[in-house]
């Protein structure tokens, strides 16, 4: 029942750590609530790491709009 506060992720989702950092792509969801993510640094070097699902959130790009002053 503790999973009510966490997002449900699927392979291909774009996520970020709740504490910040680069956008990452979900590769695989493991049975123990671990999420395998892949991302690239500014030099296009690929990284892959396991994260607990509770530490991640789905990425929402900043809203781009026209502001009227």
């Amino acid at each position: 029942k503790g999973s009510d506060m966490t997002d449900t992720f699927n392979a291909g989702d774009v996520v970020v750590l709740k504490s910040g950092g680069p956008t990452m792509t979900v590769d695989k969801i493991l049975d123990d609530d671990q999420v395998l993510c892949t991302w690239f640094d500014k030099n296009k070097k690929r990284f892959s790491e396991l994260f607990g699902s509770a530490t991640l959130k789905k990425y929402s790009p900043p809203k781009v709009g026209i502001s009227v002053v």
Side-chain angles (χ1 to χ4, degrees), residues 7-49:
D7 285 327
T8 301
F9 302 108
N10 297 299
D13 285 349
V14 178
V15 298
V16 291
L17 283 168
K18 290 180 178 177
S19 59
T23 56
M24 304 180 288
T25 303
V26 173
D27 285 332
K28 186 189 290 187
I29 314 298
L30 304 180
D31 291 337
D32 55 355
D33 250 3
Q34 295 289 303
V35 181
L36 180 63
C37 297
T38 299
W39 70 97
F40 295 88
D41 70 5
K42 63 182 179 186
N43 300 315
K44 307 285 190 223
K45 183 176 177 185
R46 182 179 181 268
F47 293 89
S48 194
E49 188 69 49

